[in-house]
Amino acid sequence: MREAHEGDLDALLELYLDLHEQSIPEHDGRLRDTWVRILADPDHHLIVCEHDGAIVSSCVCVIIPNLTRGVRPYAFVENVVTRADARGRSYATACLNHAKALAQQAGCYKMMLLTGSHDPKTLDFYRHAGYNSTDKTAFIQWL
């Protein structure tokens, strides 16, 4: 379990094909600039889990500064993914646990996670990881 480093880009883009991506984006200036920004942002944690030297699971945890709740930040978790042939081995759970530890260290008062999945197994996975779908209502506006 670790945070991503510069050499992980290609492996992560490949992993995201098991999330919802249809293709790997072109290696252009926009991709490179975005990758550099992510790696340089101390509040943007791109967590990876390796097994046998390969990245098999990942999630993103962003710590967001906040002026409410005693000026305590909150964390947003996104892009939780495990390689299809590595699912069911607790790799994503380890990623989420690492994200939780980062959020606790940052003094966050809550963590939020959205999923587009309606698969009962996926929803049960998030519930088992400590998330609930009853406290808040999520609204999304696609741009």
Side-chain angles (χ1 to χ4, degrees):
M1 196 61 45
R2 63 176 174 79
E3 295 213 28
H5 54 68
E6 188 175 349
D8 291 329
L9 178 58
D10 289 332
L12 282 165
L13 294 175
E14 185 76 26
L15 178 64
Y16 288 159
L17 293 173
D18 284 313
L19 182 61
H20 50 63
E21 294 301 303
Q22 300 299 310
S23 64
I24 294 175
E26 181 182 338
H27 277 63
D28 59 10
R30 188 169 142 229
L31 176 67
R32 189 173 40 258
D33 291 347
T34 300
W35 182 237
V36 168
R37 283 184 62 197
I38 288 169
L39 293 176
D41 184 346
D43 289 326
H44 194 135
H45 304 275
L46 207 163
I47 299 160
V48 298
C49 179
E50 285 183 312
H51 179 72
D52 290 336
I55 294 174
V56 295
S57 189
S58 179
C59 76
V60 171
C61 177
V62 180
I63 308 297
I64 302 169
N66 182 39
L67 296 174
T68 66
R69 304 286 182 161
V71 194
R72 291 177 64 198
Y74 57 93
F76 187 76
V77 174
E78 184 65 79
N79 295 339
V80 180
V81 59
T82 300
R83 209 171 63 195
D85 65 351
R87 292 185 181 149
R89 299 182 192 160
S90 299
Y91 297 131
T93 298
C95 287
L96 291 177
N97 288 342
H98 190 82
K100 183 177 181 180
L102 291 170
Q104 289 171 322
Q105 290 169 8
C108 292
Y109 77 94
K110 71 177 177 183
M111 295 181 73
M112 295 186 297
L113 179 149
L114 297 175
T115 182
S117 176
H118 299 286
D119 182 342
K121 290 194 309 190
T122 300
L123 301 179
D124 285 343
F125 166 74
Y126 289 128
R127 285 185 193 101
H128 183 73
Y131 294 85
N132 74 69
S133 58
T134 58
D135 289 346
K136 299 265 185 177
T137 301
F139 290 89
I140 297 185
Q141 183 179 76
W142 297 103
L143 302 175

